Amino acid sequence: MQLQYFLQSLWGIINEMSPYILLGFLIAGFLHVFIKPAVMSRHLAGNGIRPVIKAALFGIPLPLCSCGVLPTAVALRRQGASKGATTSFLIATPQTGVDSIAATYSLLGLPLAIIRPIAALVGSVIGGASVSRLTNEDATPETAGTSSCTIDRESNEYAGLNLYRKTVEAVRYGLVDMVASVGKWLVIGLIIAALITVLVPDELFVNLNRYPLIAMVTMVLVAVPMYVCATGSIPIAMSLMLKGLSPGVAFVLLMAGPAANFASMMILSRTIGRRSTIIYVGSVIATAIGFGLMIDYLLPQEWFLPSASHVMSCHDSHSGTSIFATVCSVVLSILLVHSAVKYRKGNNIHHHNTNDNIMKREYRIEGMACPHCQATVTKALSSLSGAEDVTVDLSSGTATVIGDVSPEAVKEAVYNAGFTIK
């Protein structure tokens, strides 16, 4: 009986989210193809508040999770973006995205869908401005020697395509690459949400609401090591709210979980410095808790009743589910399965070379966390002159390069893509 209840809860949540998630993925594809990263890097250079605000406005609609935004931010930094602008971009981007904003509206309602990007904007501007004021804008090795930078390659990747081909590439990126990037975390979030709905008693979170600040700090301690992407955190927050947790505490999960995790902190400390990283994390946590308290104490609580409360009726009847939502759910499920199968096949590929005269080297890559990272490294290495075959294994974090390619060229290509070789 509980299994049936779990499956009904899971399918009900998917039906609510799928139309908005697919729309967000498509918009993400068009943003990727039609907005040139080189243009972004030019706008993010220089000191002052203006690059910081521009970086936040650039980052808010981009659907990149915490692991996906790191190589992009590192590449922007190496192209001349200031520390403050880089920090602002790092805060704003993983907390929102067009896909997560649409999904927030579908499950949590319009007020939270509006407050979420506003909080990301405020937190990113505060964090970026603080970094600009409190740290030195030194000339690091990361901003030099990047003649083959990833940003330049991506800027020219779609330059020769006509409008039709660009549209096809946008759809492919949105429904294939984006699904591969966030699919794992989305599935984890959906499963956790359904498990909370089925297994967690309603009275568990009622007592936590008596001490909202303590509850929010506890949520930060849970969310940071757990790590979910901006979209995957939404069904979890909805389930917690339906069980009685205050919307302010759930909002802390929505903002702190996607933006701050231990892996990103380690990479950022090497890219923008330890002090800047501390400011970055502090801005994320302070903004999440500040807006969470505002939601609980200053805004009408009826604004934050989960719009997906009618999902619960799906346990008794599926008559309220539209055909369109069902079709979208089936399409999303197929895309997620395709992404998982493609990822498994990619990690099971073993190359055998019978020609001993062709060099074969294996490298240990640091910083890869999702199939999008894997694709970025593969593209960077495959573009090297002399590379005959490239295999990037995400599970082991290794890259195998076959061909007459020097280790220095491989190191530079990986570095320019936003990763490092151990």
Side-chain angles (χ1 to χ4, degrees):
M1 187 65 182
Q2 279 196 332
L3 177 60
Q4 181 181 1
Y5 187 31
F6 167 80
L7 294 176
Q8 288 176 339
S9 300
L10 181 62
W11 186 248
I13 297 171
I14 293 174
N15 272 334
E16 288 299 315
M17 292 184 68
S18 58
Y20 298 92
I21 290 179
L22 291 176
L23 176 62
F25 283 158
L26 288 174
I27 295 175
F30 282 91
L31 288 174
H32 173 78
V33 172
F34 288 95
I35 294 182
K36 297 180 179 179
V39 175
M40 293 174 55
S41 64
R42 287 197 298 269
H43 282 281
L44 305 188
N47 298 319
I49 194 66
R50 182 174 295 181
V52 171
I53 296 176
K54 286 183 178 180
L57 295 176
F58 275 134
I60 285 173
L62 294 181
L64 294 174
C65 60
S66 182
C67 62
V69 73
L70 284 173
T72 304
V74 171
L76 288 172
R77 172 66 178 151
R78 291 168 183 169
Q79 275 285 16
S82 67
K83 278 187 178 181
T86 303
T87 303
S88 178
F89 183 82
L90 282 165
I91 294 173
T93 307
Q95 290 182 329
T96 54
V98 288
D99 57 328
S100 65
I101 293 173
T104 302
Y105 169 73
S106 69
L107 288 187
L108 301 177
L110 182 60
L112 279 178
I114 295 175
I115 294 174
R116 196 173 186 185
I118 293 176
L121 176 63
V122 172
S124 59
V125 171
I126 292 175
S130 299
V131 167
S132 295
R133 180 177 294 272
L134 300 177
T135 63
N136 296 323
E137 190 62 42
D138 53 347
T140 64
E142 295 157 351
T143 60
T146 56
S147 58
S148 61
C149 182
T150 302
I151 290 182
D152 291 331
R153 287 198 301 269
E154 290 187 354
S155 298
N156 298 323
E157 184 178 356
Y158 307 107
L161 302 181
N162 56 32
L163 180 61
Y164 171 77
R165 288 297 304 163
K166 285 185 176 180
T167 302
V168 172
E169 284 298 311
V171 174
R172 184 203 62 78
Y173 181 86
L175 298 184
V176 178
D177 290 357
M178 272 302 303
V179 174
S181 178
V182 306
K184 171 185 175 182
W185 307 112
L186 176 60
V187 171
I188 291 174
L190 290 169
I191 292 175
I192 292 175
L195 288 173
I196 291 173
T197 302
V198 174
L199 301 178
V200 176
D202 294 347
E203 62 272 11
L204 178 63
F205 295 108
V206 174
N207 292 330
L208 281 176
N209 291 332
R210 300 176 184 175
Y211 311 99
L213 185 57
I214 296 177
M216 291 177 186
V217 173
T218 303
M219 182 60 72
V220 169
L221 296 177
V222 172
V224 170
M226 179 176 68
Y227 175 66
V228 288
C229 71
T231 303
S233 64
I234 297 169
I236 300 176
M238 182 208 71
S239 296
L240 293 174
M241 289 172 63
L242 290 175
K243 289 294 181 178
L245 197 66
S246 74
V249 180
F251 186 80
V252 172
L253 169 66
L254 291 175
M255 303 305 289
N261 62 82
F262 295 142
S264 63
M265 294 177 202
M266 294 175 62
I267 297 175
L268 289 178
S269 64
R270 297 198 301 266
T271 304
I272 60 177
R274 182 175 298 177
R275 180 181 294 182
S276 299
T277 303
I278 293 173
I279 296 173
Y280 158 80
V281 176
S283 300
V284 170
I285 295 174
T287 305
I289 293 178
F291 272 82
L293 292 172
M294 181 191 72
I295 289 171
D296 280 348
Y297 285 100
L298 300 180
L299 298 179
Q301 292 303 290
E302 57 267 20
W303 285 8
F304 305 104
L305 296 175
S307 62
S309 58
H310 61 277
V311 169
M312 311 308 292
S313 65
C314 293
H315 304 325
D316 303 319
S317 173
H318 297 282
S319 58
T321 303
S322 68
I323 296 177
F324 177 71
T326 301
V327 171
C328 290
S329 299
V330 172
V331 171
L332 179 61
S333 301
I334 292 173
L335 292 174
L336 291 171
V337 171
H338 172 265
S339 172
V341 171
K342 184 178 179 181
Y343 163 74
R344 183 177 293 274
K345 285 184 177 179
N347 278 336
N348 288 334
I349 293 178
H350 300 281
H351 294 271
H352 302 281
N353 198 339
T354 57
N355 191 343
D356 295 333
N357 295 324
I358 298 181
M359 289 182 291
K360 177 180 179 180
R361 291 189 175 95
E362 186 174 280
Y363 302 88
R364 181 82 175 180
I365 311 294
E366 287 188 326
M368 294 191 302
C370 68
H372 186 268
C373 302
Q374 180 187 28
T376 300
V377 175
T378 302
K379 184 186 297 183
L381 295 179
S382 298
S383 66
L384 292 174
S385 176
E388 297 187 10
D389 194 17
V390 173
T391 303
V392 179
D393 190 332
L394 180 59
S395 60
S396 63
T398 59
T400 303
V401 180
I402 298 176
D404 187 11
V405 185
S406 68
E408 291 75 18
V410 172
K411 183 176 181 180
E412 182 184 6
V414 172
Y415 182 82
N416 290 335
F419 305 89
T420 56
I421 291 181
K422 186 176 182 180

